[in-house]
Amino acid sequence: MDVKDLLKLVEKPNDKDANLIHRAFEFSRKAHQNQKRKSGEPYFNHCFETALKLAEWRLDGSTIAAGLLHDVIEDAGISFEKLKKEFGEEVAFLVEGVTKLGHLKYRSRQEQQAENLRKMLLAISKDLRVILIKLADRLHNMKTLKFLAPIKQKRIALETSDIYAPLAYRLGMANLAGELEDLAFPFLYPLEYKWILEHVKDRYEERQKYLRKVEETLVNTLKEHNIFPLKIDSRAKRYSSLYKKLLRNDMNLEQVYDLIALRIVVKTVEECYAVLGIIHQLWPPLPGRIKDYIALPKPNGYRSLHTTVFCLDNKPTEFQIRTLEMHEEAENGIAAYWAYAQAKETKEYQKEKAIFADKKELAWINQLKEWQKEALGSKEFLQSLKIDFFKDRIFAITPEGEVVDLPAGATPIDFAYAIHSEIGDQCIGAKVNSKIVPLDYQLQSGDLIEILIQKSKRPSASWLEIVKTSQAKRKIKAGLRKISDKKSANQTEFKIIAVDRVGLLKDVSAVISRAHINIVKVDVPPSRNFPILKIRAAVNDKEKIEKLILKLKKVEGVKEINYKLVV
Ligand code: MN
């Protein structure tokens, strides 16, 4: 573990970056010096591995430094202010962002909650680099998951498979997404994993040997056509995706042709198609298995040519053909884009502007935009990769890690009512990120909120001035009404809006009488569209009122019913 390993990966590190990474390295090592991971290794190893991954993705110096420091707030008690003083605003901001993401917990396996959480991750992060650090962090945590208690393993594996892997995929990082899926798979499906291991392992080795022969034949033929691939590798299909495929094919391994595929990386798009043609001259293609993802990229932006042919010994074999650029994008997605964005600053970029220009059209960025339908400053986003799609929404977190979605400007009272009316009614104060705040405090995305309650407490009319959501307003009013009801109200006035018909009033009255409730007064004020019946009845029990309303709604012609308690 050496800071040089990090710097080696940084493209042309300037003195400023090198210095920053050096200092972050030493600072983090010292901050974590007495801590150990569950595996028994020094805690700092985890920080280093996280930073190493970020450097492999060719991210900038600040991100790598923040990767080294990503756990010092949460696990070493270093304050944001201290970080800011030592490393500046940008690094401190990134570390704080990662710390906030750490407060989110995903428990129930519901698609809607998963989607909310993924959106929230983006909202809180404000800067995609925060997500990238979190993904690198999660990758290393998954690699060392076996050292945790089984119950934690399950939760983290589930979160990885439902939240982080799809997020990585949508950010165009298919390789990372697959790796995360594969790391989670044995923990989520231990029996299935065992089955795959038993049935596939030998086949994998056999296939590897076979593909080396195929590769030889192919390279020789390409040479005759003056094509020299930049790289050819054989890639075994991931266990997790193999399992999904087997489920679709009655667990029949013979049906899976891309158990191991040969991936050919060439210099230009023209060469991609040329190689495809040559492969088809060598071996006949399987009908329906040629896929041109260059002309028609996948929704996440993936580009490549795929084909399956009857290869040596007549065995169906899959080939994937792409340029280096497509390869990098397929592997690193948004991280690759970040690298381009960095390159923009350089002279090389200015020279080759034309080549980079179409990067703006990267399909997965469009996909991401599509996904983030909410207010999107698209130009801003493309320039800086800052996330500000949700500037009108706040995502706050309960102590249990649940996400609560609120409008900007919302207060702890809004939050309390969003959880439960009772919590709202009984609210006497709030802690935000462990600090007591006034009730008119404006919540920020990522705030961890604890509502302090007192059983006998009732809502206050002054809250109506503070709250932002109509839900809270409605519930405060209801709560206030309950207080005054208790004192005096003994009658209810129903306001029934209906379609006019003969016998309407008679039917409505009958329903009320059958409920053994006395009608005190009936009023039919003139109305332009629908008749409105105002009926005052001697009832003040909420349950009875609600039951009655359900019955009244069944009366033919009744459209809408409101009620209020009156004295
Ligand atoms: Mn960590």
Side-chain angles (χ1 to χ4, degrees):
M1 206 164 315
D2 192 326
V3 70
K4 284 186 197 118
D5 295 331
L6 287 175
L7 292 170
K8 243 186 347 217
L9 291 163
V10 180
E11 255 173 88
K12 302 174 217 140
N14 55 37
D15 289 349
K16 206 174 127 249
D17 277 348
N19 177 278
L20 183 66
I21 292 169
H22 259 288
R23 283 189 297 125
F25 183 92
E26 291 304 336
F27 187 98
S28 172
R29 189 158 64 173
K30 209 172 143 223
H32 293 296
Q33 69 181 345
N34 293 319
Q35 295 170 336
K36 288 221 177 331
R37 295 277 288 176
K38 281 277 181 324
S39 61
E41 57 175 351
Y43 195 97
F44 178 69
N45 287 13
H46 163 69
C47 311
F48 182 79
E49 290 295 330
T50 302
L52 199 62
K53 191 44 79 177
L54 295 164
E56 276 174 27
W57 291 339
R58 294 191 285 123
L59 296 172
D60 60 318
S62 300
T63 310
I64 295 167
L68 285 164
L69 295 164
H70 81 271
D71 276 330
V72 301
I73 294 183
E74 188 73 19
D75 295 319
I78 306 287
S79 70
F80 172 80
E81 286 73 24
K82 167 109 176 147
L83 269 188
K84 195 168 135 184
K85 223 177 100 202
E86 293 278 336
F87 298 100
E89 182 90 46
E90 192 181 4
V91 172
F93 162 81
L94 292 173
V95 174
E96 195 195 27
V98 178
T99 307
K100 281 182 170 179
L101 295 192
H103 293 149
L104 293 175
K105 300 240 155 46
Y106 173 71
R107 286 202 178 80
S108 69
R109 197 152 208 192
Q110 286 170 0
E111 188 41 42
Q112 191 48 48
Q113 211 218 326
E115 185 67 12
N116 275 344
L117 202 56
R118 288 192 286 260
K119 278 187 186 166
M120 169 160 190
L121 284 171
L122 289 176
I124 292 183
S125 310
K126 297 207 181 85
D127 185 320
L128 279 174
R129 290 176 299 169
V130 173
I131 297 269
L132 296 173
I133 298 168
K134 183 70 195 172
L135 288 170
D137 169 51
R138 178 51 60 106
L139 180 64
H140 186 253
N141 282 338
M142 287 305 293
K143 286 179 178 167
T144 52
L145 195 61
K146 60 173 180 285
F147 298 107
L148 297 192
I151 187 141
K152 269 198 161 176
Q153 289 176 340
K154 207 84 203 199
R155 187 187 71 71
I156 295 172
L158 189 69
E159 189 175 81
T160 300
S161 158
D162 282 11
I163 307 292
Y164 290 102
L167 195 60
Y169 186 77
R170 289 201 232 185
L171 293 173
M173 307 170 85
N175 193 37
L176 174 66
E179 203 173 348
L180 289 172
E181 279 285 0
D182 245 18
L183 287 165
F185 182 55
F187 295 98
L188 296 176
Y189 303 101
L191 296 176
E192 292 82 347
Y193 177 70
K194 226 177 120 210
W195 187 93
I196 297 237
L197 275 191
E198 274 164 19
H199 289 80
V200 176
K201 219 172 174 192
D202 291 348
R203 263 169 214 260
Y204 268 17
E205 278 161 24
E206 201 182 293
R207 288 290 280 181
Q208 289 284 13
K209 252 189 246 159
Y210 166 78
L211 285 176
R212 272 194 287 275
K213 275 197 279 172
V214 173
E215 188 182 328
E216 224 181 277
T217 313
L218 181 66
V219 168
N220 289 334
T221 315
L222 290 178
K223 211 184 276 171
E224 289 163 23
H225 290 81
N226 235 341
I227 294 175
F228 301 91
L230 296 170
K231 123 167 139 182
I232 297 185
D233 55 31
S234 54
R235 191 61 170 270
K237 194 168 185 62
R238 293 184 180 283
Y239 285 173
S240 52
S241 64
L242 174 61
Y243 178 65
K244 279 181 207 152
K245 196 155 203 170
L246 283 169
L247 284 179
R248 289 199 298 271
N249 289 302
D250 303 324
M251 302 308 274
N252 184 353
L253 273 169
E254 303 302 323
Q255 294 288 316
V256 181
Y257 301 135
D258 55 352
L259 197 58
I260 300 180
L262 265 192
R263 185 175 292 159
I264 303 145
V265 179
V266 291
K267 290 182 206 79
T268 62
V269 173
E270 289 72 29
E271 277 190 355
C272 289
Y273 288 101
V275 170
L276 183 74
I278 292 163
I279 290 172
H280 286 171
Q281 278 168 26
L282 272 171
W283 301 294
L286 256 76
R289 304 266 324 172
I290 305 166
K291 287 172 192 142
D292 185 349
Y293 294 123
I294 292 178
L296 288 169
K298 282 194 189 180
N300 72 344
Y302 176 81
R303 292 183 298 162
S304 269
L305 298 175
H306 289 194
T307 185
T308 304
V309 298
F310 293 104
C311 201
L312 297 179
D313 311 326
N314 231 6
K315 281 189 187 164
T317 303
E318 186 178 280
F319 291 83
Q320 302 173 353
I321 310 153
R322 50 173 77 157
T323 64
L324 193 58
E325 209 177 301
M326 294 173 197
H327 184 63
E328 288 232 318
E329 266 172 40
E331 299 280 297
N332 292 334
I334 204 152
Y337 182 77
W338 181 261
Y340 296 131
Q342 294 288 298
K344 264 187 188 175
E345 312 290 315
T346 67
K347 281 193 186 119
E348 284 89 340
Y349 171 75
Q350 301 299 337
K351 262 190 270 165
E352 296 175 57
K353 221 168 195 162
I355 301 170
F356 283 99
D358 68 325
K359 288 287 173 275
K360 281 191 180 170
E361 303 308 324
L362 277 183
W364 55 262
I365 288 190
N366 290 325
Q367 174 67 15
L368 188 62
K369 284 197 287 186
E370 186 69 17
W371 180 40
Q372 310 293 358
K373 285 230 170 63
E374 283 91 335
L376 175 75
S378 68
K379 269 185 202 140
E380 186 84 6
F381 168 65
L382 288 171
Q383 279 160 12
S384 63
L385 291 189
K386 295 272 156 55
I387 307 171
D388 200 13
F389 314 139
F390 296 101
K391 52 178 181 279
D392 304 326
R393 304 300 297 177
I394 299 291
F395 295 85
I397 317 168
T398 70
E400 286 75 42
E402 305 285 338
V403 177
V404 180
D405 175 1
L406 295 163
T411 65
I413 305 175
D414 290 294
F415 179 87
Y417 277 107
I419 297 173
H420 199 282
S421 321
E422 254 177 42
I423 308 256
D425 286 349
Q426 299 173 353
C427 172
I428 53 161
K431 280 186 182 174
V432 171
N433 305 324
S434 313
K435 283 190 200 127
I436 300 261
V437 297
L439 283 178
D440 63 353
Y441 169 87
Q442 298 213 343
L443 303 181
Q444 306 293 315
S445 263
D447 277 348
L448 186 71
I449 302 177
E450 195 183 330
I451 298 294
L452 309 170
I453 58 167
Q454 198 180 75
K455 281 271 179 253
S456 54
K457 182 77 170 58
R458 292 286 169 259
S460 145
S462 65
W463 290 0
L464 289 169
E465 307 296 313
I466 304 172
V467 297
K468 187 87 185 171
T469 56
S470 48
Q471 184 192 29
K473 274 188 190 142
R474 210 172 52 239
K475 288 181 173 174
I476 291 168
K477 283 181 190 158
L480 290 170
R481 224 180 289 135
K482 242 189 276 169
I483 300 172
S484 60
D485 294 351
K486 278 226 171 94
K487 284 184 208 140
S488 51
N490 52 14
Q491 294 183 356
T492 303
E493 186 177 280
F494 294 91
K495 190 169 135 194
I496 302 169
I497 301 168
V499 180
D500 203 5
R501 67 171 177 87
V502 175
L504 176 71
L505 183 58
K506 190 178 129 244
D507 290 348
V508 167
S509 310
V511 169
I512 299 175
S513 300
R514 267 206 300 278
H516 303 288
I517 294 168
N518 286 329
I519 295 173
V520 180
K521 189 179 162 200
V522 176
D523 197 10
V524 188
S527 142
R528 261 169 295 164
N529 307 316
F530 296 111
I532 296 173
L533 311 178
K534 280 193 176 172
I535 299 178
R536 191 183 269 235
V539 60
N540 65 358
D541 180 282
K542 198 157 182 210
E543 212 172 303
K544 269 192 189 168
I545 295 171
E546 273 168 7
K547 269 190 191 156
L548 179 61
I549 287 179
L550 283 180
K551 285 183 191 148
L552 287 171
K553 277 193 174 155
K554 287 188 190 140
V555 173
E556 191 195 330
V558 170
K559 298 204 66 100
E560 205 185 309
I561 304 176
N562 299 315
Y563 75 93
K564 62 177 181 211
L565 289 160
V566 289
V567 184

